[in-house]
Amino acid sequence: MILVEVFTVLLFIYLGARIGGIGIGLAGGAGVLVLTLFLGVKAGHVPVDVILIIMSVITAIAAMQVAGGLDWLVDLSEKFLRKHPKRITFYAPIVTYMMTLLAGTGHTAFSTLPVIAEVAKEQGIRPSRPLSISVVASQIAITASPISAALVFFSGLLEPLGVGYLTLLAICIPSTFLACMIGAFTANFIGCELKDDPVYKERLAKGLVKMQGVTKREILPTAKLATAIFVAAIVAVIIYATLISDALHIIENPTLKRNDAIMVFMLTAAAAIVIFTKIDASKISNVSTFKSGMSACICVLGVAWLGDTLVSAHITEIKELSAGVLEQYPWMLAITLFFASMLLYSQGATTVALMPAALAIGVAPLTAIASFAAVSALFVLPTYPTLLAAVEMDDTGSTRIGNLVFNHPFVIPGVVTICSSVAIGFAFGGLIL
Protein backbone atom coordinates (compact mmCIF):
# COMPACT_ATOMS: atom_id res chain seq x y z
CA MET A 1 0.00 0.00 0.00
CA ILE A 2 2.88 2.38 0.69
CA LEU A 3 4.05 1.99 -2.89
CA VAL A 4 0.53 2.66 -4.15
CA GLU A 5 0.32 5.81 -2.02
CA VAL A 6 3.74 7.07 -3.18
CA PHE A 7 2.78 6.39 -6.79
CA THR A 8 -0.47 8.31 -6.25
CA VAL A 9 1.40 11.33 -4.90
CA LEU A 10 3.90 11.32 -7.77
CA LEU A 11 1.09 10.86 -10.29
CA PHE A 12 -0.77 13.94 -9.08
CA ILE A 13 2.42 16.00 -8.88
CA TYR A 14 3.14 15.02 -12.49
CA LEU A 15 -0.44 15.89 -13.45
CA GLY A 16 -0.07 19.30 -11.79
CA ALA A 17 3.18 19.94 -13.61
CA ARG A 18 1.52 19.13 -16.91
CA ILE A 19 -1.36 21.52 -16.18
CA GLY A 20 1.08 24.30 -15.25
CA GLY A 21 0.48 27.48 -13.23
CA ILE A 22 -1.64 26.83 -10.17
CA GLY A 23 -2.31 23.35 -11.55
CA ILE A 24 0.20 21.87 -9.11
CA GLY A 25 -1.97 23.10 -6.24
CA LEU A 26 -5.21 21.92 -7.82
CA ALA A 27 -3.77 18.48 -8.50
CA GLY A 28 -2.41 18.37 -4.95
CA GLY A 29 -5.92 18.81 -3.57
CA ALA A 30 -7.20 16.06 -5.85
CA GLY A 31 -4.36 13.83 -4.63
CA VAL A 32 -5.41 14.39 -1.00
CA LEU A 33 -8.93 13.35 -1.96
CA VAL A 34 -7.72 10.08 -3.48
CA LEU A 35 -5.37 9.30 -0.57
CA THR A 36 -8.02 9.92 2.08
CA LEU A 37 -11.32 8.73 0.56
CA PHE A 38 -10.06 5.89 -1.64
CA LEU A 39 -6.86 4.69 0.07
CA GLY A 40 -7.89 5.31 3.67
CA VAL A 41 -5.00 7.62 4.64
CA LYS A 42 -5.68 10.19 7.36
CA ALA A 43 -5.51 13.75 6.03
CA GLY A 44 -2.36 15.62 6.93
CA HIS A 45 -1.83 19.12 8.27
CA VAL A 46 -3.00 22.11 6.23
CA PRO A 47 -0.19 24.75 6.18
CA VAL A 48 -2.48 27.55 7.34
CA ASP A 49 0.24 29.83 8.79
CA VAL A 50 2.36 29.58 5.65
CA ILE A 51 -0.58 30.52 3.43
CA LEU A 52 -1.65 33.42 5.64
CA ILE A 53 1.89 34.81 5.77
CA ILE A 54 2.15 34.68 1.97
CA MET A 55 -1.21 36.43 1.64
CA SER A 56 -0.27 39.17 4.11
CA VAL A 57 3.16 39.85 2.61
CA ILE A 58 1.86 39.82 -0.95
CA THR A 59 -0.91 42.26 -0.02
CA ALA A 60 1.66 44.74 1.31
CA ILE A 61 3.86 44.31 -1.76
CA ALA A 62 0.89 44.76 -4.09
CA ALA A 63 -0.07 47.97 -2.29
CA MET A 64 3.50 49.18 -2.71
CA GLN A 65 3.34 48.28 -6.42
CA VAL A 66 0.13 50.28 -6.92
CA ALA A 67 1.82 53.26 -5.27
CA GLY A 68 4.78 52.94 -7.65
CA GLY A 69 7.28 51.48 -5.20
CA LEU A 70 8.26 48.50 -7.34
CA ASP A 71 8.77 50.70 -10.41
CA TRP A 72 11.05 52.93 -8.36
CA LEU A 73 13.09 49.95 -7.13
CA VAL A 74 13.40 48.62 -10.68
CA ASP A 75 14.49 52.07 -11.85
CA LEU A 76 17.18 52.14 -9.17
CA SER A 77 18.24 48.64 -10.21
CA GLU A 78 18.57 49.66 -13.85
CA LYS A 79 20.72 52.67 -12.94
CA PHE A 80 22.92 50.43 -10.80
CA LEU A 81 23.34 47.82 -13.55
CA ARG A 82 24.00 50.40 -16.25
CA LYS A 83 26.64 52.00 -14.05
CA HIS A 84 28.55 48.69 -13.98
CA PRO A 85 27.53 47.00 -17.26
CA LYS A 86 30.69 44.90 -17.70
CA ARG A 87 30.01 43.16 -14.38
CA ILE A 88 26.40 42.39 -15.16
CA THR A 89 26.81 38.66 -14.45
CA PHE A 90 27.78 39.44 -10.86
CA TYR A 91 25.65 42.50 -10.21
CA ALA A 92 22.40 41.22 -11.73
CA PRO A 93 22.03 38.37 -9.17
CA ILE A 94 22.78 40.86 -6.40
CA VAL A 95 19.79 42.92 -7.58
CA THR A 96 17.36 39.97 -7.79
CA TYR A 97 18.68 38.51 -4.53
CA MET A 98 18.17 41.78 -2.63
CA MET A 99 14.70 42.37 -4.08
CA THR A 100 13.61 38.86 -3.07
CA LEU A 101 15.24 39.25 0.34
CA LEU A 102 13.27 42.47 0.81
CA ALA A 103 9.95 41.27 -0.59
CA GLY A 104 9.88 37.63 0.49
CA THR A 105 8.88 36.50 -3.00
CA GLY A 106 10.94 35.73 -6.08
CA HIS A 107 8.26 37.11 -8.38
CA THR A 108 9.82 40.58 -8.03
CA ALA A 109 12.47 39.32 -10.47
CA PHE A 110 9.98 39.59 -13.34
CA SER A 111 10.41 43.36 -13.50
CA THR A 112 14.22 43.26 -13.53
CA LEU A 113 14.80 40.48 -16.08
CA PRO A 114 14.18 42.71 -19.15
CA VAL A 115 16.73 45.22 -17.81
CA ILE A 116 19.31 42.47 -17.24
CA ALA A 117 18.83 41.06 -20.74
CA GLU A 118 19.08 44.51 -22.34
CA VAL A 119 22.24 45.61 -20.49
CA ALA A 120 23.98 42.31 -21.25
CA LYS A 121 23.05 42.53 -24.92
CA GLU A 122 24.35 46.09 -25.20
CA GLN A 123 27.71 45.00 -23.80
CA GLY A 124 28.00 41.99 -26.10
CA ILE A 125 27.71 39.69 -23.08
CA ARG A 126 25.81 36.46 -23.51
CA PRO A 127 22.48 37.28 -21.77
CA SER A 128 21.98 33.68 -20.63
CA ARG A 129 24.83 34.15 -18.14
CA PRO A 130 23.38 36.96 -15.99
CA LEU A 131 19.79 35.83 -16.60
CA SER A 132 20.39 32.27 -15.42
CA ILE A 133 22.11 33.16 -12.16
CA SER A 134 19.66 36.03 -11.54
CA VAL A 135 16.71 33.64 -11.67
CA VAL A 136 18.53 31.22 -9.37
CA ALA A 137 19.39 34.05 -6.95
CA SER A 138 15.75 35.16 -6.83
CA GLN A 139 14.78 31.61 -5.84
CA ILE A 140 17.44 30.83 -3.25
CA ALA A 141 16.99 34.23 -1.54
CA ILE A 142 13.60 32.97 -0.34
CA THR A 143 15.50 30.82 2.18
CA ALA A 144 17.13 33.97 3.61
CA SER A 145 14.27 36.48 3.54
CA PRO A 146 13.07 37.58 7.00
CA ILE A 147 9.46 37.60 5.81
CA SER A 148 9.31 34.60 3.47
CA ALA A 149 6.79 31.97 4.53
CA ALA A 150 9.35 29.16 4.10
CA LEU A 151 11.91 30.72 6.46
CA VAL A 152 9.33 31.80 9.04
CA PHE A 153 7.80 28.30 9.13
CA PHE A 154 11.25 26.70 9.36
CA SER A 155 12.20 29.06 12.18
CA GLY A 156 9.11 27.96 14.10
CA LEU A 157 10.29 24.35 13.84
CA LEU A 158 13.79 25.22 15.08
CA GLU A 159 12.88 27.40 18.06
CA PRO A 160 11.95 24.44 20.33
CA LEU A 161 15.40 23.02 19.46
CA GLY A 162 17.17 26.15 20.70
CA VAL A 163 17.79 27.90 17.37
CA GLY A 164 16.25 31.37 17.21
CA TYR A 165 14.93 33.39 14.30
CA LEU A 166 17.90 35.78 14.22
CA THR A 167 20.39 32.91 14.43
CA LEU A 168 18.75 31.30 11.42
CA LEU A 169 19.00 34.57 9.47
CA ALA A 170 22.63 34.98 10.53
CA ILE A 171 23.45 31.65 8.87
CA CYS A 172 21.15 31.73 5.86
CA ILE A 173 21.79 35.27 4.58
CA PRO A 174 25.61 35.12 4.22
CA SER A 175 25.67 31.49 3.05
CA THR A 176 23.09 32.00 0.29
CA PHE A 177 24.56 35.33 -0.84
CA LEU A 178 28.11 34.01 -1.09
CA ALA A 179 26.77 30.95 -2.90
CA CYS A 180 25.10 33.21 -5.47
CA MET A 181 28.45 34.88 -6.15
CA ILE A 182 30.05 31.46 -6.68
CA GLY A 183 27.17 30.60 -9.01
CA ALA A 184 27.73 33.88 -10.89
CA PHE A 185 31.41 33.05 -11.33
CA THR A 186 30.41 29.68 -12.77
CA ALA A 187 27.77 31.18 -15.06
CA ASN A 188 30.39 33.53 -16.50
CA PHE A 189 32.03 30.58 -18.28
CA ILE A 190 28.94 28.77 -19.57
CA GLY A 191 28.28 28.86 -23.29
CA CYS A 192 30.25 30.49 -26.09
CA GLU A 193 30.62 34.24 -26.42
CA LEU A 194 27.53 35.96 -27.79
CA LYS A 195 29.23 37.02 -31.03
CA ASP A 196 30.11 33.36 -31.73
CA ASP A 197 26.65 31.93 -31.02
CA PRO A 198 25.15 30.62 -34.30
CA VAL A 199 21.58 31.09 -33.04
CA TYR A 200 22.31 34.73 -32.19
CA LYS A 201 23.94 35.29 -35.61
CA GLU A 202 20.90 33.86 -37.36
CA ARG A 203 18.45 35.94 -35.34
CA LEU A 204 20.57 39.06 -35.82
CA ALA A 205 20.62 38.53 -39.59
CA LYS A 206 16.82 38.23 -39.61
CA GLY A 207 16.44 41.46 -37.64
CA LEU A 208 14.93 39.69 -34.62
CA VAL A 209 17.37 41.23 -32.12
CA LYS A 210 16.31 44.68 -30.93
CA MET A 211 18.20 47.24 -28.84
CA GLN A 212 15.72 48.99 -26.54
CA GLY A 213 18.09 51.36 -24.70
CA VAL A 214 17.25 52.95 -21.36
CA THR A 215 13.67 52.33 -20.28
CA LYS A 216 11.75 55.47 -19.38
CA ARG A 217 9.45 54.89 -16.42
CA GLU A 218 7.01 57.29 -14.90
CA ILE A 219 7.76 57.12 -11.18
CA LEU A 220 4.78 58.14 -9.10
CA PRO A 221 5.39 60.74 -6.36
CA THR A 222 4.08 58.21 -3.82
CA ALA A 223 6.68 55.56 -4.71
CA LYS A 224 9.34 56.47 -2.15
CA LEU A 225 6.87 56.82 0.72
CA ALA A 226 5.25 53.47 -0.05
CA THR A 227 8.65 51.75 -0.19
CA ALA A 228 9.71 53.39 3.08
CA ILE A 229 6.56 52.13 4.80
CA PHE A 230 7.13 48.59 3.52
CA VAL A 231 10.79 48.57 4.60
CA ALA A 232 9.80 49.98 8.00
CA ALA A 233 7.39 47.07 8.41
CA ILE A 234 10.18 44.56 7.70
CA VAL A 235 12.43 46.28 10.25
CA ALA A 236 9.56 46.21 12.75
CA VAL A 237 9.15 42.44 12.19
CA ILE A 238 12.84 41.83 12.87
CA ILE A 239 12.88 44.06 15.96
CA TYR A 240 9.74 42.45 17.38
CA ALA A 241 11.12 38.95 16.73
CA THR A 242 14.27 39.98 18.60
CA LEU A 243 12.32 41.34 21.57
CA ILE A 244 10.24 38.18 22.00
CA SER A 245 13.10 35.74 21.37
CA ASP A 246 13.90 33.18 24.05
CA ALA A 247 17.54 34.23 23.94
CA LEU A 248 16.92 37.82 25.13
CA HIS A 249 13.74 37.45 27.23
CA ILE A 250 12.94 41.16 26.82
CA ILE A 251 9.22 40.50 26.33
CA GLU A 252 7.95 37.56 28.35
CA ASN A 253 4.78 35.77 27.25
CA PRO A 254 4.07 38.05 24.24
CA THR A 255 0.43 38.57 23.37
CA LEU A 256 1.36 38.38 19.67
CA LYS A 257 3.36 35.43 18.37
CA ARG A 258 5.97 35.97 15.66
CA ASN A 259 3.94 34.46 12.82
CA ASP A 260 0.93 36.52 13.82
CA ALA A 261 3.15 39.59 14.13
CA ILE A 262 4.35 39.24 10.55
CA MET A 263 0.77 39.10 9.31
CA VAL A 264 -0.25 42.08 11.44
CA PHE A 265 2.74 44.23 10.46
CA MET A 266 2.31 43.47 6.75
CA LEU A 267 -1.42 44.19 6.75
CA THR A 268 -0.78 47.36 8.74
CA ALA A 269 1.86 48.39 6.22
CA ALA A 270 -0.62 47.86 3.39
CA ALA A 271 -3.20 49.95 5.26
CA ALA A 272 -0.64 52.70 5.90
CA ILE A 273 0.35 52.76 2.22
CA VAL A 274 -3.29 53.10 1.18
CA ILE A 275 -3.98 55.84 3.73
CA PHE A 276 -0.86 57.97 3.33
CA THR A 277 -0.38 57.64 -0.44
CA LYS A 278 -4.13 57.82 -1.15
CA ILE A 279 -4.02 55.04 -3.73
CA ASP A 280 -7.17 53.24 -4.85
CA ALA A 281 -7.33 50.12 -2.65
CA SER A 282 -9.47 48.32 -5.24
CA LYS A 283 -6.47 48.22 -7.57
CA ILE A 284 -4.39 46.13 -5.16
CA SER A 285 -6.03 42.84 -6.11
CA ASN A 286 -5.50 43.49 -9.83
CA VAL A 287 -1.71 43.96 -9.94
CA SER A 288 0.66 41.20 -11.05
CA THR A 289 2.31 40.58 -7.67
CA PHE A 290 -1.03 40.02 -5.95
CA LYS A 291 -2.19 37.54 -8.60
CA SER A 292 1.10 35.59 -8.55
CA GLY A 293 1.08 35.56 -4.74
CA MET A 294 -2.44 34.20 -4.52
CA SER A 295 -1.50 31.54 -7.07
CA ALA A 296 1.40 30.59 -4.79
CA CYS A 297 -1.06 30.17 -1.91
CA ILE A 298 -3.08 27.64 -3.91
CA CYS A 299 0.08 25.76 -4.86
CA VAL A 300 1.25 25.59 -1.24
CA LEU A 301 -2.21 24.55 -0.03
CA GLY A 302 -2.54 21.64 -2.44
CA VAL A 303 1.01 20.33 -2.68
CA ALA A 304 2.08 20.79 0.95
CA TRP A 305 -1.15 19.19 2.15
CA LEU A 306 -0.59 16.27 -0.22
CA GLY A 307 3.01 15.80 0.93
CA ASP A 308 2.17 16.06 4.62
CA THR A 309 -0.66 13.56 4.23
CA LEU A 310 1.76 10.95 2.88
CA VAL A 311 4.62 11.73 5.28
CA SER A 312 2.44 11.89 8.41
CA ALA A 313 0.89 8.52 7.63
CA HIS A 314 4.29 6.82 7.48
CA ILE A 315 6.47 8.86 9.83
CA THR A 316 7.41 5.74 11.81
CA GLU A 317 8.62 3.88 8.74
CA ILE A 318 10.46 7.00 7.54
CA LYS A 319 12.24 7.26 10.89
CA GLU A 320 13.34 3.64 10.76
CA LEU A 321 14.52 3.92 7.17
CA SER A 322 16.16 7.34 7.25
CA ALA A 323 17.50 7.94 10.74
CA GLY A 324 20.65 5.86 10.34
CA VAL A 325 21.35 7.06 6.81
CA LEU A 326 21.00 10.76 7.66
CA GLU A 327 23.08 10.34 10.80
CA GLN A 328 25.92 8.87 8.77
CA TYR A 329 25.41 11.00 5.65
CA PRO A 330 23.76 14.30 6.74
CA TRP A 331 24.15 15.82 3.26
CA MET A 332 21.56 13.32 2.01
CA LEU A 333 18.88 15.64 3.44
CA ALA A 334 19.94 18.35 1.00
CA ILE A 335 19.63 15.90 -1.91
CA THR A 336 16.14 14.87 -0.73
CA LEU A 337 15.03 18.50 -0.45
CA PHE A 338 16.56 19.27 -3.86
CA PHE A 339 14.57 16.63 -5.72
CA ALA A 340 11.40 17.29 -3.74
CA SER A 341 11.42 21.03 -4.52
CA MET A 342 12.12 20.23 -8.15
CA LEU A 343 8.75 18.47 -8.22
CA LEU A 344 6.77 20.61 -5.77
CA TYR A 345 7.59 23.99 -7.39
CA SER A 346 7.60 25.83 -4.07
CA GLN A 347 10.11 26.50 -1.30
CA GLY A 348 7.25 26.88 1.16
CA ALA A 349 5.52 23.66 0.11
CA THR A 350 8.77 21.67 0.26
CA THR A 351 9.65 23.08 3.68
CA VAL A 352 6.20 22.31 5.09
CA ALA A 353 6.11 18.82 3.58
CA LEU A 354 9.57 17.56 4.57
CA MET A 355 11.28 19.66 7.25
CA PRO A 356 8.99 18.61 10.14
CA ALA A 357 9.61 14.96 9.27
CA ALA A 358 13.37 15.53 8.98
CA LEU A 359 13.56 17.09 12.44
CA ALA A 360 11.19 14.47 13.85
CA ILE A 361 13.55 11.63 12.88
CA GLY A 362 16.40 13.31 14.72
CA VAL A 363 18.21 15.34 12.04
CA ALA A 364 20.50 17.84 13.78
CA PRO A 365 19.49 21.53 13.54
CA LEU A 366 22.82 22.32 11.86
CA THR A 367 22.16 19.76 9.13
CA ALA A 368 18.62 21.05 8.57
CA ILE A 369 19.74 24.70 8.40
CA ALA A 370 22.65 24.02 6.05
CA SER A 371 20.40 21.92 3.80
CA PHE A 372 17.60 24.50 3.80
CA ALA A 373 18.82 26.22 0.62
CA ALA A 374 18.18 22.98 -1.28
CA VAL A 375 14.42 23.66 -1.22
CA SER A 376 15.15 26.17 -3.99
CA ALA A 377 15.70 23.75 -6.89
CA LEU A 378 12.79 25.23 -8.83
CA PHE A 379 15.08 25.92 -11.78
CA VAL A 380 15.69 22.28 -12.78
CA LEU A 381 12.50 21.72 -14.76
CA PRO A 382 12.12 24.55 -17.31
CA THR A 383 8.56 25.33 -16.32
CA TYR A 384 8.87 27.86 -13.49
CA PRO A 385 7.43 31.31 -14.38
CA THR A 386 10.59 33.40 -13.79
CA LEU A 387 12.68 30.91 -15.76
CA LEU A 388 10.27 30.98 -18.69
CA ALA A 389 10.17 34.78 -18.51
CA ALA A 390 13.98 34.92 -18.77
CA VAL A 391 13.89 32.70 -21.86
CA GLU A 392 11.18 34.82 -23.45
CA MET A 393 12.88 38.16 -22.72
CA ASP A 394 16.20 37.18 -24.31
CA ASP A 395 15.69 37.88 -28.01
CA THR A 396 19.29 36.87 -28.79
CA GLY A 397 18.28 33.22 -28.35
CA SER A 398 21.17 32.50 -25.97
CA THR A 399 18.81 31.64 -23.09
CA ARG A 400 17.16 28.63 -24.63
CA ILE A 401 15.84 25.25 -23.53
CA GLY A 402 17.39 22.25 -25.28
CA ASN A 403 15.66 19.21 -26.71
CA LEU A 404 16.63 17.09 -23.68
CA VAL A 405 14.57 19.35 -21.30
CA PHE A 406 17.32 19.52 -18.66
CA ASN A 407 19.98 21.00 -20.95
CA HIS A 408 19.26 24.65 -20.31
CA PRO A 409 21.53 27.40 -18.91
CA PHE A 410 19.92 27.51 -15.45
CA VAL A 411 20.92 24.02 -14.29
CA ILE A 412 24.69 24.34 -13.77
CA PRO A 413 24.67 27.76 -12.02
CA GLY A 414 21.72 26.60 -9.91
CA VAL A 415 23.29 23.33 -8.81
CA VAL A 416 26.61 25.06 -8.06
CA THR A 417 24.81 27.74 -6.05
CA ILE A 418 22.83 25.27 -3.93
CA CYS A 419 25.84 23.01 -3.33
CA SER A 420 27.91 26.03 -2.33
CA SER A 421 25.20 27.30 0.00
CA VAL A 422 24.92 23.92 1.73
CA ALA A 423 28.69 23.71 2.20
CA ILE A 424 28.98 27.31 3.45
CA GLY A 425 25.92 26.75 5.66
CA PHE A 426 27.64 23.85 7.39
CA ALA A 427 30.74 26.02 7.91
CA PHE A 428 28.89 29.12 9.16
CA GLY A 429 26.45 27.08 11.20
CA GLY A 430 29.26 25.19 12.88
CA LEU A 431 30.74 28.51 14.03
CA ILE A 432 27.46 30.08 15.18
CA LEU A 433 25.54 27.19 16.74
Side-chain angles (χ1 to χ4, degrees):
M1 281 303 296
I2 293 177
L3 292 178
V4 173
E5 292 163 13
V6 171
F7 175 77
T8 301
V9 170
L10 293 177
L11 176 64
F12 279 97
I13 290 174
Y14 172 76
L15 176 63
R18 288 294 301 271
I19 296 173
I22 65 171
I24 190 75
L26 306 180
V32 174
L33 185 147
V34 172
L35 286 179
T36 53
L37 297 186
F38 294 95
L39 299 180
V41 180
K42 183 179 179 181
H45 172 69
V46 178
V48 175
D49 274 5
V50 172
I51 295 170
L52 294 180
I53 289 171
I54 293 174
M55 291 175 66
S56 304
V57 172
I58 288 298
T59 300
I61 295 171
M64 183 176 69
Q65 182 179 4
V66 173
L70 277 185
D71 285 337
W72 181 56
L73 290 175
V74 173
D75 196 60
L76 291 178
S77 301
E78 181 168 7
K79 291 176 181 176
F80 172 69
L81 293 175
R82 289 190 178 281
K83 190 176 180 180
H84 310 281
K86 292 294 184 183
R87 300 171 186 169
I88 183 74
T89 307
F90 290 95
Y91 286 178
I94 292 177
V95 168
T96 56
Y97 180 94
M98 294 305 297
M99 290 188 71
T100 300
L101 193 77
L102 176 71
T105 172
H107 292 293
T108 53
F110 279 116
S111 53
T112 58
L113 293 177
V115 176
I116 294 168
E118 194 63 28
V119 173
K121 191 167 52 177
E122 290 171 3
Q123 297 299 315
I125 296 172
R126 187 179 181 88
S128 63
R129 294 170 177 174
L131 284 172
S132 61
I133 187 58
S134 296
V135 168
V136 171
S138 72
Q139 294 176 357
I140 200 171
I142 289 291
T143 61
S145 172
I147 58 172
S148 76
L151 185 133
V152 172
F153 177 81
F154 186 38
S155 175
L157 298 177
L158 292 172
E159 281 187 340
L161 302 177
V163 180
Y165 174 72
L166 294 179
T167 302
L168 180 60
L169 288 176
I171 298 171
C172 291
I173 291 177
S175 61
T176 53
F177 180 79
L178 291 175
C180 287
M181 294 300 97
I182 295 172
F185 179 80
T186 304
N188 222 22
F189 296 95
I190 295 177
C192 64
E193 296 302 321
L194 183 62
K195 60 184 176 63
D196 300 323
D197 190 322
V199 175
Y200 168 67
K201 290 180 180 179
E202 181 181 345
R203 293 181 63 84
L204 188 64
K206 292 180 179 179
L208 299 176
V209 180
K210 309 291 184 182
M211 294 292 181
Q212 303 294 335
V214 179
T215 304
K216 293 182 179 180
R217 299 179 186 83
E218 182 181 349
I219 307 301
L220 298 177
T222 55
K224 294 181 181 180
L225 177 58
T227 305
I229 293 171
F230 183 76
V231 172
I234 296 174
V235 173
V237 167
I238 296 173
I239 292 174
Y240 184 79
T242 303
L243 295 176
I244 67 173
S245 68
D246 293 334
L248 297 181
H249 296 289
I250 296 175
I251 298 179
E252 300 282 355
N253 301 317
T255 55
L256 196 63
K257 295 181 180 179
R258 191 193 60 247
N259 289 12
D260 296 336
I262 292 175
M263 300 175 206
V264 167
F265 283 127
M266 289 295 112
L267 291 176
T268 302
I273 290 171
V274 172
I275 292 169
F276 292 110
T277 65
K278 296 181 173 60
I279 61 172
D280 184 355
S282 64
K283 294 181 179 179
I284 293 176
S285 59
N286 293 321
V287 297
S288 59
T289 51
F290 187 89
K291 292 177 180 178
S292 61
M294 294 308 112
S295 296
C297 288
I298 299 298
C299 292
V300 170
L301 171 61
V303 172
W305 195 6
L306 176 63
D308 190 77
T309 297
L310 177 66
V311 171
S312 298
H314 302 289
I315 189 65
T316 303
E317 294 93 327
I318 293 172
K319 284 182 179 180
E320 293 174 355
L321 180 65
S322 306
V325 175
L326 289 175
E327 184 178 351
Q328 189 172 0
Y329 306 106
W331 46 267
M332 287 291 291
L333 175 61
I335 294 178
T336 303
L337 295 173
F338 182 96
F339 284 104
S341 64
M342 185 179 82
L343 296 172
L344 298 181
Y345 289 99
S346 167
Q347 296 94 333
T350 306
T351 304
V352 171
L354 296 181
M355 277 302 192
L359 294 171
I361 65 177
V363 170
L366 173 59
T367 300
I369 294 170
S371 303
F372 184 40
V375 303
S376 304
L378 283 58
F379 55 82
V380 178
L381 296 176
T383 53
Y384 198 72
T386 47
L387 185 152
L388 293 174
V391 173
E392 185 177 336
M393 290 170 185
D394 180 11
D395 61 5
T396 69
S398 70
T399 311
R400 53 185 181 266
I401 299 168
N403 295 329
L404 301 178
V405 180
F406 294 102
N407 56 331
H408 55 78
F410 303 87
V411 170
I412 295 176
V415 171
V416 168
T417 300
I418 286 183
C419 291
S420 301
S421 183
V422 171
I424 298 170
F426 272 110
F428 275 19
L431 296 173
I432 296 175
L433 295 180

